[in-house]
Amino acid sequence: MIHRKLEIMKMCYQERNTANFDLFYDTFFDRTRLPIVIGTDSGPWFHTMERIRWLISYDWEHWGDLEIDTWNFRFFEAESHDVVRVRGLLDFHEDRVWDIDIIMIFHKTGDEYICRLMQFKIPRNEIRPVVDLNGNKEEQDKYEQEMIRLTRMNGDVSSDLMREHLAKSIRTQLQEERPYLDNIDVREEMIYLEENGDEFLFALTGFCIHTERRAVLPFRMVGIGRGYEVIDAEFSHPFVSSLG
């Protein structure tokens, strides 16, 4: 099933024809439940069909050729969710070739297998990422606006004990796994959360400080959990490049 879906994604990105958007959307998403799609850069999260259409159509019109390795995907299976990671190669034919990861979280119930969250990620070295907000007012403003939009999308979550516990858990996990980061800022209102029985999926935007460079860095996490604990997650610094 996953391979068939990835083959359609591959075909759509190879043809780069906006007439294929409905095929792409219906292959992955459910029109009755709005998904989350997160781009590679510092732009907003996309949470309506119209905005997702704009994002995917923009990629098809302005990106280079994207080759997706539809057989060599990684798969993490839980009871209600699957996390799928697939690698691609983005070729601009201008002496620029970028790796790209696509992370998808599927919710499975009965015969339905629906992607609830999709993130596009440009892999980079976490110790020396290219994103540095200290010296770039424009990027700082972009991330502040992203966080405002995310807060509005989530609404009032000040009394949500699940988000409060999850924020503390993620801060502790990042401090243990990434000791080169400091002042990790994860706020409850920045967490997008969907609960399905005992399991949940989440996505968030946060900030941290690189201890050696003293640089402010944004980060994102997407993943799934059970009870109050994260069981699989993907960490990334959003992509910023003067070549883009």
Side-chain angles (χ1 to χ4, degrees):
M1 179 185 298
I2 295 174
H3 174 70
R4 291 198 302 271
K5 289 180 181 291
L6 294 179
E7 282 290 306
I8 292 175
M9 174 184 283
K10 178 179 179 179
M11 182 271 290
C12 289
Y13 270 86
Q14 286 180 335
E15 294 187 1
R16 297 165 67 179
N17 183 346
T18 55
N20 286 331
F21 175 78
D22 286 342
L23 171 62
F24 174 86
Y25 194 93
D26 292 336
T27 297
F28 289 93
F29 307 125
D30 181 351
R31 292 185 184 233
T32 66
R33 298 182 63 199
L34 296 177
I36 292 288
V37 177
I38 305 175
T40 58
D41 63 5
S42 57
W45 298 16
F46 297 84
H47 191 50
T48 68
M49 186 173 180
E50 291 73 21
R51 292 290 291 155
I52 293 171
R53 182 188 297 274
W54 180 90
L55 173 66
I56 300 301
S57 298
Y58 181 90
D59 289 349
W60 292 348
E61 292 174 1
H62 298 283
W63 269 13
D65 295 329
L66 178 61
E67 180 66 29
I68 299 173
D69 189 352
T70 61
W71 285 108
N72 189 25
F73 58 85
R74 292 177 291 158
F75 180 79
F76 181 91
E77 183 177 15
E79 183 176 344
S80 300
H81 300 89
D82 292 337
V83 182
V84 177
R85 297 169 172 91
V86 61
R87 175 63 59 90
L89 190 70
L90 186 57
D91 187 353
F92 289 94
H93 303 289
E94 299 173 355
D95 298 323
R96 282 189 289 149
V97 178
W98 293 342
D99 290 324
I100 188 168
D101 291 339
I102 306 171
I103 300 98
M104 291 163 279
I105 299 179
F106 289 89
H107 179 227
K108 48 190 178 182
T109 173
D111 295 331
E112 294 185 338
Y113 197 69
I114 304 299
C115 181
R116 297 296 305 134
L117 188 150
M118 180 180 293
Q119 181 188 19
F120 295 85
K121 169 185 172 182
I122 304 290
R124 85 267 318 291
N125 188 306
E126 291 183 13
I127 303 297
R128 299 184 63 85
V130 299
V131 182
D132 184 341
L133 297 188
N134 277 2
N136 193 324
K137 181 65 164 57
E138 180 182 357
E139 291 302 326
Q140 180 73 60
D141 291 343
K142 285 183 181 180
Y143 281 103
E144 289 177 354
Q145 288 301 312
E146 175 182 331
M147 298 178 86
I148 291 173
R149 284 188 292 262
L150 183 56
T151 302
R152 289 173 179 168
M153 186 176 75
N154 279 333
D156 182 12
V157 297
S158 58
S159 61
D160 192 324
L161 296 179
M162 177 65 185
R163 281 188 174 86
E164 180 182 354
H165 183 92
L166 184 58
K168 292 179 181 178
S169 176
I170 289 173
R171 282 193 293 267
T172 300
Q173 177 182 339
L174 292 179
Q175 288 166 354
E176 293 174 350
E177 295 179 354
R178 293 171 171 81
Y180 50 88
L181 301 181
D182 199 2
N183 291 79
I184 296 169
D185 183 4
V186 178
R187 308 173 196 172
E188 295 97 279
E189 63 269 23
M190 297 296 106
I191 299 174
Y192 176 81
L193 183 67
E194 284 187 18
E195 297 182 69
N196 295 290
D198 191 41
E199 290 183 3
F200 61 89
L201 67 85
F202 72 92
L204 63 87
T205 289
F207 289 95
C208 57
I209 295 178
H210 193 291
T211 52
E212 180 180 344
R213 298 166 59 202
R214 307 307 300 171
V216 179
L217 301 175
F219 67 87
R220 290 178 177 146
M221 285 185 69
V222 300
I224 62 174
R226 182 182 298 113
Y228 288 98
E229 302 301 325
V230 175
I231 57 177
D232 188 58
E234 190 81 19
F235 176 93
S236 66
H237 295 294
F239 184 64
V240 175
S241 171
S242 60
L243 300 176

